[in-house]
């Protein structure tokens, strides 16, 4: 049977962990009371007995009945409600009966009162926030419905309008010059209709005017929507950015409200309702789990103290706000009805798929396939090693053409598989330590990868790669021409690229499309708003520069052999190859630096500029190392040593202080932070040392060990693999720190932007 403390630990909301009842601490108080009671009983001298009487049993029953009736008549404890100076209700317990362990019992109830007050305060705060958010969403929905009705009426009055250009106040560039004059009065009346419609939703138009000015000097329209100050502060002044300073543009088919904008607003409000329902569900779970915790701990106290104190205290707990309030339940029912009516056409089953998405069940088939593909990949790897030994591929006298054609593709997929394996380990550790990575990355729990899925992708990819390499070697040994056989790595590469962009719902399509979308956001930096998943993936790319170089070489070989555009040797020593090598060494750091610039532009936080400096220093160091690999002299050695040393110190500082949150001088854990998820502190110290060692792997690139070409390739892939391992190791602590920041701010649901925004935020 699972202990309730572990059950509570497994079911509580991780981001609200500090707001839950501290069940373990209360159990310690009860254990102290129990030990004190045992000590008192042992210290009492034994009573002298002179034999047993026939009336002892009857006397015992009478005393027990009397004591039980007496205990029922008098209150052992008295729980009082008091008001603080901030008009906040708190609970204080006074002992109405003396206990042998009075100090310990008083301390227990003082701690219990503190926990009850903490739970009540947190519940009231979250409840008021969610109720206020619900009122804001209702107001936004009413405005949306009114605007949709206006759009429908407009289309009914003008059935000749095209659906793609249908809107309120459309202007067609194909109309004659006197068209605007003929419809001027109608636009003014329709504008009045919009104003009156929105005023019915509590909006007042202050200092609004018809300012329509075209090239011919005609007035333009601009609307500012102000909500009265009597509404909640979160919605005191709202603006729809498409209605503010976005007037109709004459001669360009412009319009204030069209179908596309309405659909976009509807999607935003629908997402906000889903998040609100999720938040209410979490608060309901919070209430029920805390009630069970109070019940369990009071029963334990009754058992240890041999008293019945739980009855009176539980009555007060049930009267407290987090149990007696029904605002959350009523708001959940209201959200369900509203969502079903307006977003799913009264289809409750479909609405519940949005509001209560079913969690996918873990399939044992995935585990079986992981084991099967792992066995296949290991077997094929052994076969490949034996074949290469028999064919003398890695001997000094072997033809280097095989290495040049196979090494880039195989190395690329080996590094990718290793990264997938490390990501699978990250997913497993995040799940084991209850780090809510799906919430941090804003992934949908129904389609997000599990650790078994990541392992399956890794082992399947390695099985495919080793199978292709074995086939390539067998065909080469069978006497097929190198031109035909060397096409196998290229075919493998094109096949996997085609699988990545395949539009059919096979092989984790949501994950593949999410990956493509994130890569698009990274490549197009800084034009897209930077989310955590975007810069997290960009950080992964900075550790995969060798993979990008192999990707360049593979593409170069494919173009050289298929399209005959250039000689394959140019893929390793040509001028274009050197220039692309510089570009690839810079690009991941350049993208990441642009993301930091965009975040500074959005947030105004100077730390983002400091972070950008880290990637600029890494970019300079990477360029210096590429140059030194081609110009081996003392000057470039000194430049590489200085630039790489500065970049490494910069990166280590940012890893430990900013990304991991370590080296807090005021922390209760020396050299670490106050809150740690892993119980063994030595793991953190070893991780610090390991990160330092792996960050220094660049030293090997300036030593220039004198080894053969095959050994050089193997050494390069080893160093690249160590960097991927370091990145996987870094990922865990980076997300642990992010999770603890969410816990510190009690962030359990994401804030969805609304189509009607606060005017003050724009200023």
């Amino acid at each position: 049977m699972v202990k309730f403390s572990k059950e509570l630990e497994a079911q509580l909301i991780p981001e609200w962990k500090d707001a839950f009842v501290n069940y373990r601490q209360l159990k310690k108080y009860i254990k102290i009371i129990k030990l004190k009671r045992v000590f008192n009983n042992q210290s009492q001298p034994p009573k002298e007995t002179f034999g047993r009487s026939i009336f002892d049993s009857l006397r015992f029953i009478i005393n027990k009945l009397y004591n039980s009736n007496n205990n029922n008549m008098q209150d052992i404890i008295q729980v009082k409600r008091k008001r603080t100076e901030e008009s906040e209700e708190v609970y204080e317990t006074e002992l109405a009966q003396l206990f042998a362990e009075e100090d310990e019992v008083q301390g227990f109830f003082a701690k219990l009162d503190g926990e009850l007050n903490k739970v009540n305060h947190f519940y009231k705060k979250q409840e008021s926030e969610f109720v206020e958010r619900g009122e804001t969403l209702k107001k936004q929905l009413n405005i949306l419905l009114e605007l949709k009705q206006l759009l429908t009426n407009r289309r009914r009055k003008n059935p000749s309008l095209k659906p793609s250009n249908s809107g309120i106040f459309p202007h067609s560039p194909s109309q004659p010059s006197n068209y605007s004059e003929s419809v001027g009065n109608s636009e003014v009346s329709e504008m009045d209709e919009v104003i009156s419609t929105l005023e019915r939703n509590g909006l007042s138009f202050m200092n609004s005017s018809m300012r329509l000015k075209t090239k011919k000097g005609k007035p333009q329209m601009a609307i500012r929507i102000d909500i009265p100050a009597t509404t909640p502060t979160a919605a005191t002044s709202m603006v729809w950015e498409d209605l503010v300073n976005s007037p109709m543009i004459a001669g360009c088919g412009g319009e204030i409200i069209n179908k596309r904008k309405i659909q976009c607003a509807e999607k935003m409000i629908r997402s906000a309702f889903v998040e609100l329902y999720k938040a209410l569900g979490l608060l309901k779970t919070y209430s029920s789990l805390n009630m069970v915790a109070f019940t369990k701990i009071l029963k334990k106290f009754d058992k240890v103290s041999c008293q019945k104190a739980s009855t009176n205290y539980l009555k007060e707990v049930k009267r407290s706000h987090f149990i007696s309030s029904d605002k959350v339940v009523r708001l959940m029912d209201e959200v369900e009805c509203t969502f079903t009516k307006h977003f799913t056409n009264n289809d409750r089953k479909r609405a519940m798929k949005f509001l209560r998405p079913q969690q996918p069940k873990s399939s044992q088939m995935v585990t079986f396939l992981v084991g099967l593909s792992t066995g296949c990949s290991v077997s094929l790897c052994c076969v490949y090693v034996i074949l290469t030994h028999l064919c003398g591929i890695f001997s000094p006298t072997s033809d280097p053409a095989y290495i040049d054609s196979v090494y880039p593709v195989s190395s690329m997929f080996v590094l990718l598989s290793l990264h997938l394996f490390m990501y699978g380990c990250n997913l497993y550790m995040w799940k084991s330590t209850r780090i809510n990575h799906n919430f941090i990355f804003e992934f949908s729990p129904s389609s997000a990868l599990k650790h078994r899925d990541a392992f399956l992708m890794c082992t399947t990819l390695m099985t495919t790669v080793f199978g292709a390499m074995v086939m390539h070697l067998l065909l080469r040994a069978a006497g097929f021409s190198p031109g035909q056989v060397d096409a196998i790595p290229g075919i493998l590469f094109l096949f996997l690229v085609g699988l990545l962009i395949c539009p059919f719902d096979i092989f984790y399509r949501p994950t593949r499309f999410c990956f493509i979308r994130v890569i698009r956001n990274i490549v197009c930096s800084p034009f897209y708003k930077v989310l955590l998943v975007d810069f997290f993936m960009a950080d992964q790319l900075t550790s995969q520069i060798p993979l990008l170089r192999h990707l360049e070489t593979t593409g170069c070989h494919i173009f050289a052999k298929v399209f005959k555009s250039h000689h394959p040797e140019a893929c390793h020593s040509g001028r274009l190859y050197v220039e692309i090598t510089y570009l690839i060494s810079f690009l991941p750091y350049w993208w990441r630096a642009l993301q930091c610039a965009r975040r500074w532009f959005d947030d105004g936080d100077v730390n983002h500029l400091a972070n950008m400096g880290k990637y600029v220093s890494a970019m300079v160091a990477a360029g210096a190392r590429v140059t030194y690999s081609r110009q081996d002299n003392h000057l470039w050695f000194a430049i590489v040593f200085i630039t790489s040393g500065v970049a490494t110190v910069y990166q280590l500082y940012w890893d430990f202080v900013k990304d991991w949150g370590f080296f807090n001088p005021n922390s209760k854990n020396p050299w670490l932070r106050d809150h740690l998820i892993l119980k063994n502190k030595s793991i953190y110290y070893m991780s610090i040392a390991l990160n330092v060692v792996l960050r220094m792997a660049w030293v090997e690139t300036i030593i220039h060990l004198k080894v053969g070409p095959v050994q050089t390739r193997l050494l390069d892939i080893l160093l690249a693999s160590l960097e991927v391992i370091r990145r996987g190791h870094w990922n865990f602590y980076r997300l642990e720190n992010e999770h603890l920041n969410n816990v510190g701010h009690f962030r359990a649901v994401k804030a969805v932007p609304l189509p009607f925004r606060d005017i003050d935020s724009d200023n």
Side-chain angles (χ1 to χ4, degrees):
M1 185 176 178
V2 181
K3 291 185 177 180
F4 177 74
S5 57
K6 293 185 178 179
E7 186 179 346
L8 178 64
E9 192 77 19
Q11 294 183 10
L12 58 79
I13 298 127
E15 290 79 10
W16 294 351
K17 182 178 180 180
D18 293 340
F20 275 82
V21 175
N22 195 338
Y23 187 79
R24 291 183 181 274
Q25 189 68 28
L26 291 173
K27 280 182 64 178
K28 290 181 180 179
Y29 276 91
I30 292 178
K31 188 174 182 180
I32 293 173
I33 295 173
K34 182 179 180 180
L35 293 175
K36 185 68 179 292
R37 191 176 184 84
V38 171
F39 176 78
N40 290 339
N41 291 336
Q42 291 179 350
S43 60
Q44 291 179 357
K47 295 181 180 180
E48 296 183 2
T49 58
F50 300 95
R52 292 184 177 274
S53 171
I54 191 171
F55 299 103
D56 285 347
S57 300
L58 182 60
R59 189 183 299 114
F60 174 77
I61 295 173
I62 294 174
N63 288 335
K64 189 172 182 180
L65 290 174
Y66 174 77
N67 289 332
S68 63
N69 291 331
N70 200 25
N71 285 338
N72 289 334
M73 289 187 294
Q74 66 177 2
D75 293 332
I76 300 175
I77 60 172
Q78 293 180 357
V79 185
K80 297 182 179 180
R81 299 186 186 185
K82 296 184 179 180
R83 291 279 179 181
T84 61
E85 296 179 356
E86 296 82 10
S87 298
E88 190 172 327
E89 190 177 63
V90 296
Y91 291 86
E92 287 187 5
T93 302
E94 296 179 358
L95 301 182
Q97 176 179 317
L98 293 178
F99 288 81
E101 308 82 14
E102 184 175 358
D103 294 338
E104 289 76 11
V105 172
Q106 190 69 48
F108 168 75
F109 279 106
K111 179 65 176 176
L112 193 63
D113 292 338
E115 294 298 312
L116 180 57
N117 294 330
K118 177 183 73 174
V119 170
N120 261 327
H121 175 73
F122 180 80
Y123 188 89
K124 288 179 181 179
K125 181 181 177 182
Q126 295 297 321
E127 182 187 61
S128 61
E129 179 183 338
F130 296 153
V131 169
E132 183 179 346
R133 191 183 304 179
E135 293 296 327
T136 303
L137 285 179
K138 284 194 290 184
K139 187 174 293 294
Q140 298 250 334
L141 181 60
N142 289 335
I143 297 172
L144 176 67
L145 295 176
E146 294 285 354
L147 294 177
K148 287 176 71 176
Q149 186 63 38
L150 282 175
L151 181 61
T152 304
N153 294 340
R154 177 63 182 171
R155 294 182 63 183
R156 287 176 181 174
K157 293 178 182 179
N158 298 276
S160 60
L161 293 175
K162 296 180 180 180
S164 60
N165 196 32
S166 62
I168 300 178
F169 322 130
H171 284 262
S172 175
S174 61
Q175 300 293 341
S177 59
N178 61 351
Y179 175 78
S180 59
E181 298 177 0
S182 63
V183 299
N185 294 329
S186 64
E187 288 178 355
V188 172
S189 62
E190 289 168 356
M191 190 66 202
D192 292 337
E193 184 181 358
V194 174
I195 293 176
S196 62
T197 299
L198 295 176
E199 282 180 344
R200 286 197 299 270
N201 291 284
L203 301 176
S204 63
F205 286 77
M206 304 174 65
N207 300 325
S208 62
S209 61
M210 302 288 292
R211 300 190 301 269
L212 183 69
K213 287 195 175 180
T214 62
K215 293 181 180 178
K216 297 182 179 180
K218 296 180 181 180
Q220 277 189 346
M221 277 182 286
I223 305 172
R224 181 163 294 277
I225 305 175
D226 293 320
I227 294 181
T230 55
T231 56
T233 56
T236 300
S237 297
M238 289 182 142
V239 118
W240 193 1
E241 57 186 345
D242 291 326
L243 292 177
V244 177
N245 298 325
S246 299
M248 298 181 299
I249 303 172
C252 299
E255 59 208 12
I256 290 183
I257 307 172
N258 59 24
K259 187 177 180 180
R260 182 182 61 81
K261 295 175 183 177
I262 291 291
Q263 290 175 344
C264 180
E266 182 177 0
K267 183 177 179 181
M268 295 169 71
I269 295 176
R270 183 185 66 190
S271 300
F273 268 107
V274 171
E275 289 300 319
L276 175 61
Y277 190 84
K278 178 183 176 183
L280 294 171
L282 292 177
L283 195 57
K284 187 177 178 182
T285 302
Y286 172 83
S287 173
S288 60
L289 285 178
N290 279 298
M291 183 63 208
V292 176
F294 278 115
T295 305
K296 294 281 186 180
I297 204 67
L298 285 169
K299 286 183 177 180
K300 284 183 177 292
F301 175 80
D302 287 351
K303 184 178 180 180
V304 170
S305 63
C306 300
Q307 300 288 348
K308 293 184 178 180
S310 63
T311 305
N312 293 336
Y313 203 96
L314 280 178
K315 287 180 181 179
E316 294 299 326
V317 172
K318 291 177 181 178
R319 292 194 195 109
S320 61
H321 187 81
F322 83 98
I323 294 297
S324 61
S325 176
D326 62 342
K327 290 182 180 180
V328 170
V329 177
R330 286 191 285 110
L331 186 55
M332 288 184 73
D333 294 338
E334 189 176 346
V335 170
E336 286 183 11
C337 296
T338 303
F339 196 91
T340 304
K341 179 180 178 181
H342 297 291
F343 296 106
T344 59
N345 294 325
N346 292 318
D347 187 350
R348 179 175 174 78
K349 185 176 180 181
R350 183 170 163 229
M352 289 301 104
K353 289 183 179 180
F354 284 97
L355 298 175
R356 300 177 187 173
Q358 296 293 328
Q359 296 292 336
K361 297 180 180 179
S362 57
S363 175
Q364 298 299 325
M365 180 58 67
V366 176
T367 306
F368 170 75
L369 292 176
V370 169
L372 180 63
S373 55
T374 302
C376 292
S377 60
V378 171
S379 302
L380 289 171
C381 179
C382 295
V383 171
Y384 177 74
V385 171
I386 294 173
L387 289 177
T388 53
H389 179 72
L390 294 177
C391 298
I393 296 297
F394 298 121
S395 63
T397 58
S398 63
D399 185 10
Y402 175 81
I403 300 295
D404 293 339
S405 61
V406 173
Y407 171 76
V409 183
S410 59
S411 299
M412 180 176 63
F413 288 122
V414 166
L415 292 176
L416 180 59
S417 300
L418 180 60
H419 215 134
L420 285 171
F421 175 76
M422 294 303 299
Y423 183 63
C425 294
N426 289 148
L427 292 176
Y428 176 76
M429 288 298 300
W430 291 332
K431 180 183 177 182
S432 301
T433 54
R434 302 211 65 203
I435 294 176
N436 196 351
H437 60 279
N438 287 332
F439 170 70
I440 294 173
F441 289 140
E442 298 185 16
F443 289 161
S444 172
S446 59
S447 59
L449 279 184
K450 309 296 188 295
H451 64 278
R452 293 186 183 90
D453 300 320
F455 290 146
L456 178 61
M457 295 173 69
C458 166
T459 54
T460 302
L461 182 60
M462 286 306 301
T463 301
T464 306
V465 171
F466 280 124
M469 292 172 66
V470 169
M471 183 184 299
H472 178 272
L473 201 58
L474 290 175
L475 293 177
R476 188 183 181 93
F480 285 85
S481 63
Q484 296 175 340
V485 176
D486 290 345
I488 292 179
I491 293 173
L492 174 64
F493 172 73
L494 294 176
F495 170 74
L496 293 175
V497 170
L499 181 61
L500 176 64
I501 62 177
C502 177
F504 302 109
D505 193 6
I506 57 173
F507 203 70
Y508 305 106
R509 184 180 66 173
T511 301
R512 291 188 285 109
F513 280 17
C514 177
F515 174 78
I516 294 173
R517 184 173 62 254
V518 171
I519 293 296
R520 178 207 62 187
N521 295 348
I522 294 173
V523 172
C524 297
S525 299
F527 301 109
Y528 285 94
K529 183 176 177 62
V530 182
L531 303 177
L532 191 144
V533 66
D534 296 330
F535 67 75
F536 189 85
M537 179 61 73
D539 280 328
Q540 311 304 305
L541 291 180
T542 59
S543 296
Q544 285 289 14
I545 292 178
L547 184 147
L548 298 178
R549 290 179 182 173
H550 295 320
L551 179 62
E552 172 225 348
T553 306
T554 301
C556 181
H557 275 282
I558 291 175
F559 275 95
K561 294 181 179 180
V562 176
F563 300 101
K564 308 295 183 182
S565 58
H566 54 273
H567 198 275
E569 293 181 358
C571 296
H572 301 278
S573 58
R575 179 182 176 183
L576 181 62
Y577 169 78
V578 175
E579 293 175 352
I580 294 179
T581 301
Y582 276 106
L583 181 64
I584 290 176
S585 300
F586 291 156
L587 267 182
Y589 299 114
W590 173 250
W591 288 330
R592 192 66 185 88
L594 288 179
Q595 287 182 335
C596 294
R598 173 59 190 263
R599 296 186 71 193
W600 169 77
F601 179 80
D602 291 338
D603 304 336
D605 190 353
V606 183
N607 285 324
H608 296 315
L609 293 180
N611 196 15
M612 183 175 69
K614 179 188 72 171
Y615 293 104
V616 172
S617 66
M619 195 186 312
V620 173
R625 286 196 292 268
V626 173
T627 305
Y628 177 68
S629 65
R630 289 168 172 77
Q631 300 180 24
D632 189 358
N633 55 52
H634 295 292
L635 175 62
W636 277 106
F637 176 84
I639 293 174
V640 168
F641 188 81
I642 294 173
T643 56
S644 298
V646 171
T648 301
V649 173
Y650 205 155
Q651 290 165 347
L652 287 173
Y653 167 79
W654 207 269
D655 285 346
F656 297 142
V657 178
K658 299 295 185 179
D659 292 335
W660 293 3
F662 292 168
F663 296 147
N664 184 357
N666 300 320
S667 173
K668 61 184 179 182
N669 302 310
W671 300 96
L672 302 177
R673 54 175 120 82
D674 286 337
H675 300 286
L676 303 173
I677 290 183
L678 301 179
K679 296 181 180 180
N680 193 347
K681 296 180 184 179
S682 60
I683 296 177
Y684 291 95
Y685 295 114
M686 289 188 293
S687 297
I688 291 174
L690 179 63
N691 192 61
V692 172
V693 172
L694 294 180
R695 277 288 190 187
M696 300 294 293
W698 57 268
V699 174
E700 189 277 333
T701 61
I702 64 175
I703 295 178
H704 286 177
L705 298 176
K706 295 182 180 180
V707 293
V710 176
Q711 289 76 12
T712 301
R713 300 290 183 94
L714 294 177
L715 188 60
D716 289 343
I717 194 173
L718 175 62
L719 293 176
S721 301
L722 289 177
E723 172 59 23
V724 173
I725 294 172
R726 187 201 68 80
R727 179 59 64 182
H729 168 257
W730 176 91
N731 288 344
F732 174 79
Y733 297 103
R734 175 66 183 87
L735 232 65
E736 179 195 19
N737 190 37
E738 186 69 24
H739 172 76
L740 291 175
N741 289 335
N742 289 339
V743 171
H745 295 88
F746 301 107
R747 288 192 293 260
V749 290
K750 65 180 180 180
V752 179
L754 299 173
F756 297 89
R757 296 187 291 110
D758 193 345
I759 293 176
D760 295 335
S761 66
D762 297 335
N763 298 331

